[in-house]
Amino acid sequence: MPLPDLPATQTAIIEMTNAFRAEQRLGGLQRNATLALAAQRYAEYLASTGRFAHDADGRSPADRISAAGYKHCSVAENLALNQKSTGFETRELARSAVEGWKGSPPHRRAMLDPGVTEIGIGIAKAPDTDPKYISVQLFGRPLSMRYSFRIENAAQDAIAYSFSNKEHTLPPRAIVTIASCQPGEILFPAARPVSTFAARQGGVYRALRDSAGVLRIEVNLAGAVEGVAPKTR
């Protein structure tokens, strides 16, 4: 009966996950040792207790990665239970877990989250008559990637804007500083042309009206970590 090489299975799951993200035009994830440690500990806990839930130990995924020492902006977790009487080859076990996640909407969303940048995999063999394995897949975006930017309304009237598809109104002569863990876009629907900007650390996005009363957006990326050209639509 074949038995998988579990470290090689972990590597294969990361490879398959990154291949899936590449198919969707998303960046690959880097293996993080702290996330891997938290994932392995939880896989072993689930395997030894027979429990199977994201809160089986009374904690959330965020609690567990924090306890392991990972300072996070965001976190997501996928669990898989794979069992077969004839056992698994290494890549077969990896494929069974990944394909199961891809076929489940919430697990698929976690795999395709554009904001996460790191991954950790844990796998443990559960005691059973037939070979049974618990896989834990953790995704994280480190706290160091948290960023902030500023929107200034230099106009005499309120302006509307949205960030990450959430709509807001900024009063005249008001300034707001926004902090986020997730990448996002700022949209000014009343500007001409309608303008969308990728939010950047340290960026300043200033709304004002020209002599004709048309709302324009000035962007100052002098202090930004990374600057991008505005997109108009």
Side-chain angles (χ1 to χ4, degrees), residues 35 38-39 42 45 53-68 70 72 74-79 136 138-139:
L35 287 178
Y42 197 49
Y45 173 84
H54 293 288
D55 58 354
D57 63 350
R59 300 185 297 174
S60 69
D63 293 332
R64 289 189 290 273
I65 68 169
S66 294
Y70 187 89
H72 67 282
S74 59
V75 60
E77 180 182 77
N78 284 339
L79 305 179
V136 177
L138 279 172
F139 303 96

Side-chain angles (χ1 to χ4, degrees), residues 29-114:
L29 306 176
Q30 295 295 316
R31 182 186 181 277
N32 178 275
T34 306
L35 287 178
L37 174 63
Q40 185 61 39
R41 286 174 175 172
Y42 197 49
E44 291 172 359
Y45 173 84
L46 295 176
S48 65
T49 62
R51 299 176 179 177
F52 190 75
H54 293 288
D55 58 354
D57 63 350
R59 300 185 297 174
S60 69
D63 293 332
R64 289 189 290 273
I65 68 169
S66 294
Y70 187 89
K71 296 180 179 180
H72 67 282
C73 260
S74 59
V75 60
E77 180 182 77
N78 284 339
L79 305 179
L81 188 160
N82 297 101
Q83 184 171 18
K84 195 172 71 167
S85 60
T86 56
F88 294 92
E89 299 286 356
T90 295
R91 293 191 67 82
E92 179 188 12
L93 177 57
R95 189 174 300 107
S96 295
V98 171
E99 291 301 318
W101 290 326
K102 288 166 64 174
S104 165
H107 298 88
R108 183 185 181 94
R109 282 195 298 272
M111 294 175 75
L112 298 180
D113 184 340

Side-chain angles (χ1 to χ4, degrees), residues 27 61-62 92 120 125-126 172 193 195 215:
E92 179 188 12
K125 188 176 185 297
S195 300
L215 187 67

Side-chain angles (χ1 to χ4, degrees), residues 123-185:
I123 307 174
K125 188 176 185 297
D128 206 288
T129 303
D130 296 327
K132 180 168 70 173
Y133 296 90
I134 306 295
S135 299
V136 177
Q137 184 181 49
L138 279 172
F139 303 96
R141 181 181 179 90
L143 187 60
S144 60
M145 295 189 73
R146 188 172 187 265
Y147 67 99
S148 64
F149 60 92
R150 193 165 77 236
I151 298 177
E152 301 180 354
N153 182 8
Q156 298 292 337
D157 56 325
I159 63 162
Y161 72 93
S162 67
F163 174 63
S164 293
N165 299 316
K166 294 183 179 180
E167 298 179 355
H168 307 274
T169 300
L170 190 61
R173 301 296 179 179
I175 297 174
V176 63
T177 298
I178 300 171
S180 179
C181 281
Q182 294 288 337
E185 292 187 333

